[in-house]
Amino acid sequence: MKTSGRAGQGLRLIPFRGLRYVPERVGSLAAVTSPPYDVVVRPDGLHHLESADPYNIVRLILPQADTASARHEQAAQTLNRWLAEGVLAPDSEPALYVYEQRNAEILQRGIVGALALSAPGDGIVLPHEDVMAHVVEDRADLMRTTAAHFEPLLLTYRSDGDGDGPGATAVIERTTERPPLLATTTEDGYRHRLWAVTDPADRAEIETDLAHHQALIADGHHRWATYLRLQQEHTTPGPWDFGLVLLVDTARYPLRVRAIHRLLHRLPAADALAAVKGLFRIRDLDGPLPRALDALAEAAAEGNAFLLAGDGGFHLIDRPDPGLLSRTIPADRPTAWQTLDATVLHAALLDHVWKIPDAPEHIAYIHDTAAAVEQAERHNATAVLMHPVREEVVRDLARQGVTMPRKSTSFGPKPATGLVLRSLDLD
């Protein structure tokens, strides 16, 4: 996405002294990494990461204690101890970092740096989802207490060319021809490589290019809102005016867009189905899960559709009653927003039909489809499986300044947490 091109109105990415694990002090780089904090949703997933290596990054992003303040103090103490022990160490000079993720199907490359913060109204960094206040509060206290950014946000922009001319993509391609700072393969099959960009000419080429672009927040809305909140708390210019991000040119490296599913803790599947009878068409499916998801995709191509699970089967609900939609969907938004599955789910089903508050004790947001189904069946709850929205719809709404319901999309692959950190004390 292009801005007007005038200086100061586009993206400003600056180098920083990255904190990185010292390979000789840990079992392996793969063993100390983690998915983003909001993807590690199951206790068994947290325990798996904690047991993978005593220095796994999950001890910083999801510390365990009885209270929030105790958790965050524990993270700060852990960070300081690891620095003192030489488990983590800062790079010798500020750098931008080229980051590559690759598996058999996907190659993604981007640039990690400290991005100058800007308000949504500036049109430089575009959010597309609402955020939850309690999550922003928790992340803000963690960042405030540790004075660190542990996880880069995933932001996307779109260049006009193919990377053959000068610009950020050209620097990335040249850089990846050199030996990397680190390389590791995580258990999900992705190979990760990281390079430092310290040459002033390369950095200037990147800066000049990005100054003409705006970015879409693909993943990390809560952390971006946290950056902005903490910036407001610091009245003098300094490191809190910048946030750790990964910028990916999706014209060159398209991302995958996946759905985020809902787990309704206190609503059994039988009750959920009984409440929508007469308001949606209901079809019971035999499964297995991949076949049921294929049926969801087919129905979603024609209109709003959801897959309910939790009682051992799968139930496709689609063709919502027009009267229900007219009564519950706000009319002061673009049609593209009104017809989103997430809009219909939250405004019609959750708020009106099921009357479920959007609070953690009632709803969990789960990225993994099988995990959502398994938890629903184990706890006599309802999993609402979603079909992903198209990226072009997300971008169009973001350009219009319209935010989607929270947790409407999951862009990926997401950067691994733990490969490079930012200490605000060092900056």
Side-chain angles (χ1 to χ4, degrees), residues 353-425:
V353 176
W354 293 327
K355 295 181 171 58
I356 295 178
D358 192 357
E361 61 268 26
H362 292 278
I363 304 177
Y365 294 84
I366 300 182
H367 294 73
D368 186 89
T369 309
V373 174
E374 185 271 335
Q375 289 198 46
E377 293 180 348
R378 181 192 300 178
H379 299 291
N380 191 29
T382 296
V384 183
L385 306 183
M386 311 279 288
H387 186 69
V389 64
R390 301 191 316 276
E391 182 179 357
E392 55 265 32
V393 173
V394 178
R395 289 186 179 278
D396 181 59
L397 288 172
R399 288 192 183 103
Q400 298 178 60
V402 178
T403 54
M404 300 165 63
R406 62 196 66 176
K407 300 295 182 181
S408 293
T409 60
S410 176
F411 284 84
K414 305 178 190 302
T417 300
L419 296 181
V420 61
L421 290 60
R422 177 179 180 240
S423 167
L424 281 80
D425 290 336

Side-chain angles (χ1 to χ4, degrees), residues 21-29 31-34 49-60 78 81-83 85-88 417-418 421:
Y21 280 98
V22 177
E24 295 78 13
R25 295 302 310 275
V26 297
S28 71
L29 289 175
V32 296
T33 64
S34 165
L49 291 168
E50 287 180 329
S51 61
D53 190 284
Y55 300 114
N56 188 281
I57 192 69
V58 77
R59 287 179 168 79
L60 299 182
T78 300
R81 184 173 70 253
W82 289 359
L83 287 168
E85 295 174 354
V87 175
L88 289 169
T417 300
L421 290 60

Side-chain angles (χ1 to χ4, degrees), residues 25 49 57 142 150 155 240 326 329 412 419-420:
R25 295 302 310 275
L49 291 168
I57 192 69
L142 176 64
F150 297 133
L155 271 60
W240 296 96
S326 66
I329 305 299
L419 296 181
V420 61

Side-chain angles (χ1 to χ4, degrees), residues 159-199:
S159 65
D160 296 329
D162 55 9
D164 291 336
T169 301
V171 174
I172 289 173
E173 299 305 311
R174 294 198 302 268
T175 301
T176 56
E177 295 175 358
R178 307 196 316 254
L181 285 176
L182 63 85
T184 190
T185 301
T186 46
E187 63 179 15
D188 58 4
Y190 277 95
R191 185 185 185 205
H192 307 261
R193 297 197 294 172
L194 191 77
W195 295 260
V197 178
T198 56
D199 181 81

Side-chain angles (χ1 to χ4, degrees), residues 307-381:
L307 192 63
L308 306 188
D311 60 357
F314 299 102
H315 312 277
L316 181 65
I317 66 170
D318 63 355
R319 298 185 183 179
D321 174 58
L324 171 67
L325 299 183
S326 66
R327 294 193 305 270
T328 59
I329 305 299
D332 59 346
R333 302 287 185 91
T335 301
W337 181 90
Q338 293 176 335
T339 56
L340 288 170
D341 285 341
T343 299
V344 173
L345 173 61
H346 283 260
L349 281 168
L350 293 175
D351 292 349
H352 183 79
V353 176
W354 293 327
K355 295 181 171 58
I356 295 178
D358 192 357
E361 61 268 26
H362 292 278
I363 304 177
Y365 294 84
I366 300 182
H367 294 73
D368 186 89
T369 309
V373 174
E374 185 271 335
Q375 289 198 46
E377 293 180 348
R378 181 192 300 178
H379 299 291
N380 191 29

Side-chain angles (χ1 to χ4, degrees), residues 75-152:
Q77 293 170 8
T78 300
L79 174 62
N80 291 334
R81 184 173 70 253
W82 289 359
L83 287 168
E85 295 174 354
V87 175
L88 289 169
D91 285 334
S92 59
E93 60 180 318
L96 298 174
Y97 297 88
V98 169
Y99 175 48
E100 176 188 275
Q101 293 167 275
R102 178 196 296 266
N103 68 6
E105 302 173 349
I106 291 179
L107 171 63
Q108 177 176 289
R109 290 171 174 163
I111 300 176
V112 177
L115 183 68
L117 304 182
S118 57
D122 295 338
I124 298 173
V125 176
L126 304 177
H128 70 267
E129 287 185 359
D130 295 330
V131 297
M132 293 174 273
H134 74 278
V135 177
V136 175
E137 173 61 33
D138 179 76
R139 291 294 101 181
D141 193 38
L142 176 64
M143 291 184 196
R144 190 186 297 115
T145 306
T146 60
H149 294 161
F150 297 133
E151 305 180 82

